[in-house]
Amino acid sequence: MQHAIDKASLGPKSKALTQGVEACVHCGFCLPTCPTYDEMGEEINSPRGRIFLIKEVLEGSVPMEDALGPIDNCLGCDACITACPSGVEYDHLITAFRAKAESERSQPLGRKLMRSMILNTLPYPNRAKWAFRAGGLVRPFKGLMPKSIQPALDLLPPTLPKAEYLPEIYPAKGPRRGRVALLTGCVQQVLAPEINRATLEVLSANGVETVIPKDQACCGALALHTGAEKRALKTARQLIRSIPDDVDALITNAAGCGSGINEYSILFAGEPDEAEAIALADKTKDISSYLDEIGLIQPPPLAESMNVVYHDACHLAHAQGERSAPRNILTAIPNLTLLEPPDWEICCGSAGIYNIEKPDVARALGEKKVTNLMSTEPDAVALGNIGCMTQIQKHLESYEKAPPVLHTVQILAKAYSD
Amino acid sequence: MELLPELAKLYPSDRLFTKKSQLITYETDGLTSFRSEPLAVVVPESNEEVIATVRLCHKAGIPFVARGSGTSLSGGSMPVEGGIVITLNRLNKILKIDPENRFTVVQAGTVNLKVSQAVAAHGLYYAPDPSSQQICTIGGNLAFNSGGAHCLKYGMTANHVLAIKAVLADGEVIEIGSESGDTLGPDASGFFCGNEGLFGVALEVTLRLTPKPQRYCTLLAAYNSLKKAGDAVSSVVDSGLLPGAMEIMDRLAIKAAEMAVKAGYPQDAEALLIVELEGETDAVEEDFKHLLALIENTGAYETRVAANEAERLTIWKGRKSAFSAVGRLSPDYLVQDGVVPRSRLGEALVKIETYSKEYGIDVANVFHAGDGNLHPLIMFNGKEEGALHRAEELAGKILKMCVEMGGSITGEHGVGVEKKAYMPEMFSEIDLECMKRVRAAIDPKEIANRGKMFPGGEAPALSTVGSHPLEKAGIISRE
Ligand SMILES: Cc1cc2nc3c(=O)[nH]c(=O)nc-3n(C[C@H](O)[C@H](O)[C@H](O)COP(=O)(O)OP(=O)(O)OC[C@H]3O[C@@H](n4cnc5c(N)ncnc54)[C@H](O)[C@@H]3O)c2cc1C
Ligand code: SF4
Ligand code: SF4
C-alpha cells in the first residue's frame, strides 16, 4: 500500500513500522481469522483496518490518541499473519507501534496501576507466587475490589501447586544427542511447575542434556507485547547474559516466551547488543520444534488409549509458524488418537494480559474455544502455552466432566514413563 | 434536511462513525489507488435500519455506498466523497436452510464461504467460489455477479441467486424471484445481479445450493511456455470434457503463490495449468483417464495428480492466494479482469507479454482459463513519479485488446471507478444511454454508488440522462 510516512523520523524501528504498511494489499484475507473483527464486524477493529490506522498515525493525519482504542483491542494473536498471503509482518508492526504508543499516551491512573502491578509481578516467579497467594486470599472479597483488577482475580488459581526443584544440569539418558538450555518461564514456573519437569524428562529420554541457568530472567515478552520496552530490554539482557554459549538451543516450552524472544530483532533494533540478541533468538526453539528436528525417540504406547484434542496456541502456530511438530509428536505416541477442533486459528482469548485488560472479549473467545474443543469429545486437551492453559481450564470449569488440559510434553513424558 | 442528526437518532454512537480515525479505515477497498472519505459510516444491525438509512439519504439527496467486506478490485465499495457508507457486516445471519429443496436464505452481509460451511452437513455447498470466498460477502458477490474458478462448470453468482429482498435507492422495498427459481415474466433477480450497488441495497438473498461432488480429480501440469498451457485449455474443451475448473498461472504468479503458501508448485515452470474434474465417482475417474492422456500430448513437461484431499486443497490454496501474494513481489499492482474468447487465449497472452516489455512493467498472469477470463496483475511502485499512470495506461491497452478480440473489459470484478472510462470502448452511446435510463428509473437522484460504472464525473441526476422525450412533451413527470 502507498504511504507518505517519513521513515527517517522513525529511527531504528522504521523497518518494523513500515514493512506491514508497504506489504499490505488491502485484500481483507486476514479479516475472518481476526477475533476482534469476528466479534465486532468493524473495519477499524480488523487487522487491515489497524494497519491503515497505523499508517495514518505515522503519516500524521490522525492523532495517536484516536488510534489507541482499536490498537488496544488487538489481542496480538497473530492469526492475521498466518492468513496473510502478502507477507505482512503484523507482529513486528504492532509491537513496534505499541512501544511508540506507550511512550506517547497519557493514561488513566487505573490502567497505569494495573499494568504496573502486572509487569512488576508476573515476570518474577517469587513475586508472582506471593501475588497469587495474596490474590487467592482476597478473592472472596472480590466485590470490594476496584473494578479494574477484578478480572485478574478471577484468573487466579485457588491454590498453588508445589514448586518443582530444578537442578542446574539434567543429564541425558543413553548416548548424548544434544545439549540445550531451558527457559523455565515466569508464570508457568509458579502455576504449572510440572511442565518444566516433563520437559526435562522428555529431553533426557531423547538423549539431550539440559542446562538450567540459575540466573536466567524473564524473556521480556509480556512487557514487550504491552509496549513497555525499557523494562523488556532490561530483563532480556539479563537472560542473554545467563545462557551459556556451548548449547545447541535455548528451549522454550511456553509459546509466549518463544515468540517474545523471536521479536528481539525489534526490541533490540539499533541497540549496541543487537547482534547478540538476534543470535540468541536464532537459537531459540520451542520444545516441540526441537524434538521434531532431532527426531523423536519412539515412545512406548500409553497404558490406556486416549483421545487428545490439540489446541494451537497463537504464539506457537501463528507467531512461530509451528503447527506440525506438536502434531508429529502426539501422533508418534501409540494408543493416542489426535483430534482437531473447528476454528483452530481463532484465539482462545488469553493473549498475554488481554484477559485481564479486556475481560469481555476474552470471555466470549474463551467460551467459543472451549465449545469447539469439547465438540470433539476429548479425553484430554493438549497445547503448548501456559496462558492458553489457564484460560481454557477456567472456561472448562462449567463442564461437568472437564478433561485435563496438558502440555504436549506432559503427554509425551507420560508415554515414556508408562 | 441535515442528514447527520437524523442518523444520530437512528444509530447509537458506537454504530455511527464520524471521526476521521474511524472513517479512514473505510476509505478504500481492494484497489487502494483510489480513496475518498465519506461523511459517515453506519453499522446497521437490522433490515429496518438499512431501509431507514436509505430513505434518509434519498430524502437528503446524499449518496450512499453499500459495503460488504471491501474486497472489490475496481473501487466499487470505495465511498462517495461526502456520502454515507452502509456496512453490512453485522447482517450476516443464515436465516433458513432447506436441504430438501436445496436453497438457503441469508442476509446480504454473510460471507460466501460461511454459506457452504453452514450447509455442509447436508452434503450441499454454495458453488460460486471467488478466490476471496473466505471473506467476500454475498451482497458484494451479487452486486458484481462474481465468479470463481469453478464457475466454468456451474456459472456465476446470477445462476445461483433465486430471490432477493432489497431496498431500492428511493427507499422502496422489493422482493423479487422465488425460492423455486420459477418466475413469471422476466428474470428480475438475474437483472439485479451485477448492478454494482447502483440499484440499492440487497438485504436478504435466497441462494441455490448444489450437492457436493462425490469425487474430485485434480491435476497440475507444468509447461515451459504460456502459449502451450493456453492451447492445452482449448484441447481440453474441444475434447468435450467439462472440467469444474481450469486455471492458469504464469511464472511470476507461481513464484508469488509459492512464497505465500508453499504449495510445492514446480518453480521452473513458465506456466501451470490446474484442471479439476468433479462429479460422480465412476464418471469422473473414467474422464480423468482421458484427461491425463490428453494432457500428455499438450507438451506438459511435468504432470502431478493430487493424491488426496489435503493435496488438492493445497493446490487451490496457492491459486487462491495468488492475487494477494503478488504483494510480495511488488508494493503496488493493478488487477485487471478482461475477457477474451477462449480460443484466442494464447494470442492474448503473447500480446500482454509484448505490452509488458514495451512498457518495462512486469505483469503476472493468473486466470480462469476455461472462461478466457484474464487477470493480469500489473506491478508498479506508486512511489515512483508517474508509475501509477503508466500502469493504468498499460491496463487500458490490455482492456482495449480484450474488446478488440471480441471479449469484455470485465469478467467478474466489475467496472467500479477503475474501468468506467473504458465503458465506451465496449458500449455505444445508445447502449449507455439505455443503461442510464434504467438507473434513473430506479434511482432518480443517483444516490446509490454515485460516480461509479458510468463514464464521466459525478454528474447530478437528470443532467447525464436528460429528460425523456415524453417529459419534454409534458406527458409524463417524475415529481
Ligand atoms: C484477493 C482477491 C481475490 C479475488 N478473487 C475474485 C474472484 O476470483 N472472482 C471474483 O469475482 N471476484 C474476486 N475478487 C473481487 C471481490 O472479492 C468480489 O468482487 C466480491 O464479490 C466483493 O465482495 P465484498 O463483500 O468484498 O464487496 P464490497 O467490495 O464491499 O462491495 C463490492 C460492490 O458490491 C456492492 N455491495 C456490497 N454489498 C451490497 C449489498 N448488500 N447490496 C448492494 N450492493 C452491495 C458495493 O457497493 C460495491 O459496489 C477478489 C478480490 C480479492 C481482493
Ligand atoms: S493479532 Fe489477532 S486480534 Fe490483532 S489484528 Fe491480528 S488477528 Fe486481529
Ligand atoms: S491479508 Fe495481508 S495483505 Fe491482505 S489485508 Fe490482511 S494484512 Fe493486508
Side-chain angles (χ1 to χ4, degrees), chain A residues 30 33-36 46-47 50 73-80 90:
Chain A
C30 50
T33 54
C34 175
T36 59
S46 78
R50 290 187 180 107
N73 282 342
C74 168
L75 291 116
C77 71
D78 294 352
C80 46
Y90 180 86

Side-chain angles (χ1 to χ4, degrees), chain A residues 81-82 262 289 313-325:
Chain A
I81 299 179
T82 306
N262 270 342
S289 315
C314 295
H315 285 140
L316 192 54
H318 300 309
Q320 301 182 58
E322 185 58 274
R323 293 193 68 219
S324 56

Side-chain angles (χ1 to χ4, degrees), chain A residues 7-53:
Chain A
K7 283 192 183 179
S9 70
L10 298 174
K13 300 239 163 34
S14 96
K15 181 160 175 280
L17 285 167
T18 51
Q19 186 278 342
V21 174
E22 283 165 10
C24 175
V25 297
H26 219 255
C27 67
F29 276 30
C30 50
L31 268 55
T33 54
C34 175
T36 59
Y37 182 76
D38 195 44
E39 279 293 305
M40 305 180 220
E42 297 165 1
E43 188 69 33
I44 197 169
N45 275 303
S46 78
R48 182 175 66 174
R50 290 187 180 107
I51 293 168
F52 210 87
L53 194 57

Side-chain angles (χ1 to χ4, degrees), chain B residues 66 68-72 76-77 88 131-132 137 140-141 143-144 146-147 200 202 412 449:
Chain B
S69 295
T71 66
S72 156
S77 42
L88 293 148
S131 299
S132 51
T137 64
N141 292 175
F144 277 157
S146 299
E412 54 186 24
N449 228 350

Side-chain angles (χ1 to χ4, degrees), chain B residues 265-282:
Chain B
Y265 293 153
Q267 282 301 289
D268 46 355
E270 282 299 318
L272 273 187
L273 170 67
I274 303 171
V275 189
E276 182 160 277
L277 297 180
E278 54 189 57
E280 282 180 17
T281 308
D282 293 347

